[in-house]
Amino acid sequence: MYIGLRHKRVTGEDYQDFIEEFIMACKARYGSHVLMHFEDFGNHTAFGLLNKYINNTCCFNDDIQGTASVALAGILGSLRITNNKISDHTFVFLGAGEANLG
């Protein structure tokens, strides 16, 4: 049962303004190196936010970057264990997270 606010989702400029205000408030309260974790944002919104804030805010989206980082960690770990080089292998990513890139 949903007990939150019952209104239409804010979009457009109002949404962008809200996100900006929230990020600035977090930086003011916790410092400029606070990590902003964009959780469960859709592709279009998540890529837009990451592109907008990449140069001035420590930010991360688990759907886009998380799956790829876990896949890369597994690959690097297996290479270390087997004493192989990454250049000796070919990798194909298919459906790796929201972004499908790694």
Side-chain angles (χ1 to χ4, degrees):
M1 180 166 143
Y2 179 72
I3 59 172
L5 295 174
R6 295 186 185 278
H7 61 83
K8 289 187 176 184
R9 183 179 299 265
V10 176
T11 60
E13 191 174 328
D14 288 341
Y15 178 79
Q16 295 298 323
D17 291 345
F18 171 76
I19 296 294
E20 177 75 17
E21 182 179 343
F22 180 79
I23 288 175
M24 293 302 110
C26 288
K27 286 180 168 183
R29 173 65 176 93
Y30 299 107
S32 62
H33 298 294
V34 64
L35 171 64
M36 303 305 299
H37 177 186
F38 303 129
E39 173 66 29
D40 291 335
F41 283 64
N43 258 357
H44 180 72
T45 303
F47 275 113
L49 291 172
L50 289 171
N51 288 332
K52 180 176 181 176
Y53 293 104
I54 192 167
N55 293 317
N56 61 19
T57 302
C58 181
C59 55
F60 178 81
N61 180 282
D62 67 321
D63 293 326
I64 293 171
Q65 296 161 305
T67 304
S69 62
V70 170
L72 179 60
I75 290 168
L76 294 176
S78 66
L79 293 172
R80 185 172 35 90
I81 291 169
T82 61
N83 204 25
N84 282 294
K85 295 185 298 186
I86 199 164
S87 59
D88 293 335
H89 300 276
T90 301
F91 300 93
V92 176
F93 287 91
L94 178 62
E98 185 75 19
N100 194 22
L101 40 104

